[in-house]
Amino acid sequence: MDFKKILTPILSIIAFLAIWEFIVWANGWPNYVMASPSDLPAAYVRYWNLFLIDSWQTLWRTVAGLAISIVFGTFLGMVMGFSRTARDALYPLLVGFNAVPKATVVPVLALLFIGAHDFNTVLMAFMISFFPIAVSVGIGLSTLEPEYRDILGALGASKFTIFRKIALPKTLPEFFGALKVSVTLAFIGTNLVEIISPHGKGLGALFLSGQTNGDYPLMFAVLIALAFLGILLYYAVVALEKIFAGWAERQPG
């Protein structure tokens, strides 16, 4: 086990918290203006049950939306990667859709699917996170060297075999790179609905509760909890990347 890879991010987090604490102390800010890291443990102790329940609510809906985005984004990327016509037709639509601020879509979803809060949250997590996956897979497949396809085709390989033996391994590094971005985007989508929706659940709703009551330590405690979940899911993707695409990693010289 490479302890340096574990120790380095831990030390960077500790340094970030120390700088945050110092800035609050140096400016003499009370916790109703800017909470410091030392203010947060009391909030976790006081609301520990809410943090457990709401963290689970946020996590499972984020993972569900991300899972759908993986399936849909991969399929869309394959369509665009294997067909130039489909790529030319779909790219403008995808770019335009991705440019729309997703916060403006939340009220529309709330009106279309009244009361379906879980569905709306998962849908938003999906809508905001599938774009990087679709683009990366599409680019990976469209830049596949034609010589490989020609050689395997001459040997009688089917299109599925060509995809499984050549195209799929080639796109895995791009896919996992995009998935790391999509993880954070999915959390953003989940929390948009949790905060904006009037019947919100999850950490976003807990943050809104802290804002309504002027409880700044609670608000910042929620932000740190969200960051922790994001880091957790990110390193889950890193672990999967090492299993399925570890061969693509190059050690720095």
Side-chain angles (χ1 to χ4, degrees):
M1 181 182 293
D2 191 347
F3 289 101
K4 184 178 179 181
K5 288 186 176 180
I6 299 175
L7 191 60
T8 300
I10 292 176
L11 290 176
S12 68
I13 292 173
I14 293 174
F16 168 75
L17 294 176
I19 294 171
W20 176 7
E21 183 77 32
F22 174 77
I23 291 174
V24 175
W25 172 81
N27 287 277
W29 289 328
N31 62 12
Y32 57 82
V33 173
M34 178 69 174
S36 65
S38 59
D39 295 322
L40 306 188
Y44 288 124
V45 170
R46 182 178 181 183
Y47 302 105
W48 66 270
N49 56 331
L50 292 178
F51 272 102
L52 287 178
I53 295 171
D54 290 331
S55 294
W56 168 245
Q57 290 286 335
T58 296
L59 183 61
W60 82 259
R61 287 181 290 193
T62 300
V63 172
L66 185 64
I68 298 172
S69 74
I70 291 172
V71 175
F72 181 78
T74 302
F75 171 76
L76 202 60
M78 290 173 61
V79 171
M80 293 189 297
F82 287 126
S83 172
R84 182 176 181 83
T85 301
R87 186 163 63 252
D88 293 340
L90 291 174
Y91 254 101
L93 296 175
L94 289 175
V95 172
F97 175 80
N98 196 56
V100 174
K102 298 305 180 289
T104 62
V105 181
V106 175
V108 177
L109 294 180
L111 289 174
L112 286 175
F113 309 105
I114 298 175
H117 181 75
D118 288 340
F119 177 80
N120 290 342
T121 309
V122 172
L123 181 60
M124 179 55 67
F126 153 71
M127 290 171 62
I128 205 172
S129 62
F130 80 89
F131 180 78
I133 297 174
V135 171
S136 66
V137 172
I139 291 175
L141 292 177
S142 64
T143 56
L144 179 65
E145 291 81 356
E147 293 83 3
Y148 294 142
R149 286 181 289 188
D150 294 340
I151 292 173
L152 288 177
L155 294 175
S158 64
K159 288 186 177 180
F160 176 76
T161 301
I162 295 174
F163 171 76
R164 184 169 59 87
K165 294 291 187 180
I166 302 297
L168 182 60
K170 183 184 183 301
T171 58
L172 280 178
E174 291 90 346
F175 168 78
F176 279 107
L179 188 56
K180 293 173 185 176
V181 177
S182 294
V183 163
T184 57
L185 292 177
F187 270 107
I188 293 173
T190 301
N191 282 276
L192 274 176
V193 179
E194 290 176 348
I195 292 174
I196 297 176
S197 175
H199 301 291
K201 296 184 291 184
L203 289 174
L206 189 58
F207 177 88
L208 187 61
S209 174
Q211 182 184 34
T212 302
N213 295 298
D215 192 340
Y216 282 76
L218 174 59
M219 293 168 61
F220 280 93
V222 169
L223 294 179
I224 295 300
L226 285 170
F228 174 77
L229 290 179
I231 293 171
L232 189 68
L233 209 53
Y234 173 86
Y235 278 105
V237 173
V238 170
L240 291 174
E241 182 183 28
K242 288 186 179 298
I243 295 173
F244 295 105
W247 51 266
E249 185 178 358
R250 297 289 185 268
Q251 296 296 329

